[in-house]
Amino acid sequence: MPDFLQPTRLRESLPVLLAGLALLCLVGGGLLYIAEYPQLAAKAWFIGGAAVLVVLVIDILRALLNGRMGVDAIAALSIGVGLALDENLAAAIVAVMYAGGQLLESFAEGRARRDMTALLGRVSRTAMLYRGTSLESVSIEALKPQDRILVRKGEVVPVDGRLLAATAVLDLSALTGESLPVPIAIGAEVPSGATVLGDAFDLLVLRESKESTYAGIVRLVEQAQASRAPMARLADRYALVFLGITLLLAGGAWWWSGEATRALAVLVVATPCPLILAVPVAVIAGMSRAASHGVLVKTAGALEALAAVTTVVVDKTGTVTSARPEVSDVRAEAGFTADDVLALAASLDQASSHVAAEALVRAATARGLTLTLPQSVVEDPGRGLSGRVGDRQIVLGGSGYVLTKLSDGSAFTRAGVDSGTAVVAVGIDGHAAGLILLSDPIRTDAGATIAAFRAGGVRRIVMASGDRTDVAEKASSTLALDAVAGDLTPEGKVDLIRQEKLGGVVMMVGDGVNDAPALALADVGVAIGARGSAASSEAADVVLLADDLSRLPLACGIARRSRKIARQSAVAGLVLSGGAMVLAALGYLAPVQGALLQEVIDVAVILNALRALRG
């Protein structure tokens, strides 16, 4: 079967084919009429109108089966009545107007989706896998954690991994909207979907392809493109009211004047409703613009909710603080040195995707320590991991976890370590080797983000944390927050969201698995990061692809502007269409004049809706 006859291609090309046929029949009929073949001209116009009518009726029946009814019925009535009254020219103009409007809407939506759709064409299919000392091209589905692959210059990183080279330069624009090349240091995590700008490098695979960052983004984009906005669904309900008013006005004009053409003129000028055209274009344009700034809005409904946010609840770790821990101190036990403890722990952590792992690798690299690839790594999620580094057996994690793995009954010295300090305990060859202390500084963009939220109309900002209340209050002391809630379990965060929702539309911002229930309950849940397997990203309505909180107030502004433009376009279109319908009912507009006027109105509201792509 030829490519253009494939079902998917046929559906995509139908608006073009239908508009082309309708226009050909209209123009061809006009030429025949000028050549003094009025009967042939009438037949050409009839064919154009009838072809569009058949497609219209099929679409209306399909919508009815799905429980929806739109103003497409008005277009079908106007064409059908025109053909029945032998007003073939008017029917043909309506057919061209309708088919052209559908083509214009299709083009507008395609233009609006461009930034989101661009993400879907960057999925790598193969990777260069090390087999001993040789390289083999394999499908990305065959890659497993701990595999070592080569990523060459110009290639798209196929899966999430940890950089094994000294440095790498990446283009992250497709993931985060960051326009400048980003240098990555050894030991840092490299997200799938990034493009390699510098030299080739080796990568240690951290996750399977289906769980990678880019796979998660693709799933979110597909979900976003399939959604419909509540405002668009509301438009379907308004369509029934508009259809009733149109029929009443058309029937009244016919009864009052006794002229069926007046009823036809009313039907023609009401086809189609600008509300249906303007809303989806403006909403999709807003989603696309937000995506271009690294904020992926998963559903059209989430964009509308984003525009109405009055309260923001932010998680502490990863939101107010950087969630990029830094090694503040290494305390070695007797018989071990600080450099030995850090080098061996960082070597093992090269195989971990835990947020603390990168901090250890980064600190060891900064000290010039030599790192060795680990072997036989076993990770106990949320507790710790163990494995061999050279000829040493290493275990690290929480001190309680590590102590259960030690064979000599030794303990860690915690004198002078604050109870609120994050600690990685390290065991070497069955002995307590030392503690690595971590700090989590306030994000540099937190203050500016809070100020931007205030400027955008957010009335209340609350920080929620699972840490002790005194620790949470100390961390946020420099920020202009309205309240701080500490000692919160996941259930406690849910209760907090439920309470805050009594006072307005609530946005919850978080990045951990424990934030997922609260993200799901909030009017708008925002997850930091787009890792496909993260529960927070699955539960959230919005995913911040870039590690830049300042983009959230920007996304709220984009959402508010898109909603304003959608409403503006819909109201203006309805007012203009309503006025034209009254003129047609009074006999001041003939069917052909009404059709041309309505086409101008439809084009105007779609072009206005596309303004949501700019500014």
Side-chain angles (χ1 to χ4, degrees):
M1 181 183 295
D3 186 58
F4 71 91
L5 289 180
Q6 296 292 335
T8 301
R9 293 291 184 127
L10 199 57
R11 284 194 299 270
E12 292 175 351
S13 59
L14 183 59
V16 177
L17 296 175
L18 194 63
L21 176 61
L23 182 61
L24 178 64
C25 290
L26 178 64
V27 173
L31 293 175
L32 288 171
Y33 188 85
I34 293 174
E36 298 184 356
Y37 293 102
Q39 292 182 339
L40 291 178
K43 289 182 179 179
W45 293 329
F46 183 90
I47 292 172
V52 174
L53 181 61
V54 169
V55 174
L56 254 174
V57 170
I58 293 174
D59 287 343
I60 291 170
L61 291 176
R62 186 183 294 117
L64 287 173
L65 291 175
N66 292 325
R68 292 190 293 110
M69 177 67 176
V71 291
D72 287 351
I74 301 176
L77 278 174
S78 61
I79 296 175
V81 170
L83 296 178
L85 296 177
D86 287 330
E87 292 281 352
N88 293 341
L89 176 57
I93 292 176
V94 173
V96 170
M97 178 191 70
Y98 178 81
Q102 294 300 303
L103 180 60
L104 181 57
E105 182 183 6
S106 176
F107 168 78
E109 288 197 7
R111 169 69 177 83
R113 292 182 190 272
R114 183 185 61 186
D115 291 311
M116 295 172 66
T117 305
L119 291 171
L120 302 179
R122 297 172 48 84
V123 182
S124 298
R125 298 301 178 190
T126 60
M128 300 302 295
L129 174 66
Y130 281 97
R131 300 281 195 190
T133 58
S134 62
L135 285 167
E136 178 183 345
S137 178
V138 300
S139 68
I140 62 171
E141 290 78 14
L143 296 177
K144 302 295 181 185
Q146 306 308 309
D147 281 345
R148 184 173 178 175
I149 62 174
L150 173 68
V151 188
R152 295 167 292 195
K153 184 175 182 178
E155 291 184 340
V156 175
V157 179
V159 292
D160 295 345
R162 193 170 300 286
L163 181 64
L164 299 179
T167 186
V169 180
L170 303 176
D171 174 5
L172 300 178
S173 59
L175 298 175
T176 67
E178 173 62 55
S179 59
L180 298 177
V182 177
I184 305 293
I186 185 172
E189 183 170 328
V190 178
S192 57
T195 302
V196 181
L197 298 180
D199 295 334
F201 56 80
D202 288 351
L203 195 71
L204 184 70
V205 177
L206 293 179
R207 281 175 287 277
E208 295 182 5
S209 61
K210 64 182 179 181
E211 298 177 344
S212 68
T213 299
Y214 199 72
I217 292 176
V218 169
R219 286 195 295 271
L220 297 179
V221 169
E222 290 171 341
Q223 180 181 349
Q225 291 188 334
S227 70
R228 301 180 71 234
M231 191 173 177
R233 292 192 292 269
L234 186 64
D236 290 337
R237 294 197 292 272
Y238 285 162
L240 291 175
V241 177
F242 191 78
L243 176 59
I245 293 173
T246 300
L247 293 177
L248 185 62
L249 188 58
W254 190 354
W255 173 79
W256 180 263
S257 66
E259 300 175 7
T261 53
R262 285 204 187 184
L264 176 60
V266 172
L267 291 173
V268 163
V269 84
T271 309
C273 177
L275 182 64
I276 304 301
L277 293 172
V279 171
V281 171
V283 170
I284 293 170
M287 293 170 70
S288 176
R289 181 150 181 80
S292 71
H293 286 281
V295 182
L296 184 56
V297 183
K298 291 166 64 174
T299 67
L303 186 80
E304 292 190 30
L306 201 61
V309 168
T310 58
T311 300
V312 176
V313 177
V314 292
D315 176 52
K316 171 181 166 286
T317 304
T319 307
V320 174
T321 60
S322 66
R324 197 169 185 260
E326 298 175 356
V327 173
S328 58
D329 194 10
V330 180
R331 301 192 176 185
E333 299 292 342
F336 298 93
T337 67
D339 283 353
D340 285 341
V341 171
L342 181 58
L344 291 170
S347 293
L348 180 60
D349 253 344
Q350 291 179 101
S352 174
S353 59
H354 192 275
V355 65
E358 186 175 333
L360 268 63
V361 174
R362 197 167 56 245
T365 303
R367 294 191 184 193
L369 304 178
T370 301
L371 301 184
T372 305
L373 283 179
Q375 305 292 327
S376 305
V377 179
V378 177
E379 185 164 5
D380 189 349
R383 302 187 66 194
L385 73 161
S386 59
R388 297 197 66 81
V389 176
D391 58 353
R392 314 294 294 270
Q393 182 66 33
I394 312 298
V395 58
L396 55 87
S399 56
Y401 171 79
V402 174
L403 287 174
T404 64
K405 303 293 183 179
L406 302 183
S407 59
D408 66 346
S410 57
F412 294 99
T413 304
R414 299 188 64 94
V417 179
D418 187 84
S419 59
T421 301
V423 172
V424 176
V426 182
I428 300 176
D429 294 332
H431 305 289
L435 299 175
I436 301 175
L437 279 55
L438 303 173
S439 62
D440 190 9
I442 294 291
R443 296 178 64 109
T444 57
D445 57 353
T449 299
I450 290 173
F453 272 130
R454 302 281 191 197
V458 173
R459 300 193 298 267
R460 181 171 169 81
I461 301 177
V462 179
M463 188 178 81
S465 176
D467 291 341
R468 298 195 321 268
T469 301
D470 59 333
V471 174
E473 289 178 343
K474 180 180 179 181
S476 62
S477 59
T478 60
L479 302 176
L481 300 173
D482 295 297
V484 176
D487 295 303
L488 294 179
T489 62
E491 293 77 13
K493 291 184 179 180
V494 168
D495 291 338
L496 176 64
I497 295 298
R498 189 176 289 115
Q499 179 181 348
E500 293 294 336
K501 286 180 71 173
L502 298 176
V505 179
V506 177
M507 172 197 288
M508 167 69 185
V509 186
D511 71 333
V513 173
N514 62 331
D515 296 324
L519 291 172
L521 179 63
D523 296 296
V524 183
V526 180
I528 307 295
R531 185 169 302 157
S533 61
S536 59
S537 293
E538 296 297 330
D541 305 294
V542 177
V543 178
L544 184 62
L545 304 180
D547 189 21
D548 181 359
L549 284 182
S550 66
R551 302 191 187 202
L552 286 180
L554 175 62
C556 288
I558 290 171
R560 287 192 295 270
R561 186 169 185 269
S562 298
R563 183 180 61 174
K564 178 181 177 181
I565 289 174
R567 289 178 174 176
Q568 178 190 80
S569 299
V571 171
L574 285 175
V575 169
L576 291 173
S577 293
M581 288 166 62
V582 172
L583 291 176
L586 294 176
Y588 292 109
L589 284 177
V592 172
Q593 295 171 326
L596 294 174
L597 177 60
Q598 186 58 46
E599 178 71 356
V600 172
I601 294 173
D602 291 338
V603 171
V605 297
I606 291 177
L607 293 178
N608 185 65
L610 280 174
R611 290 193 302 115
L613 282 171
R614 306 190 305 274

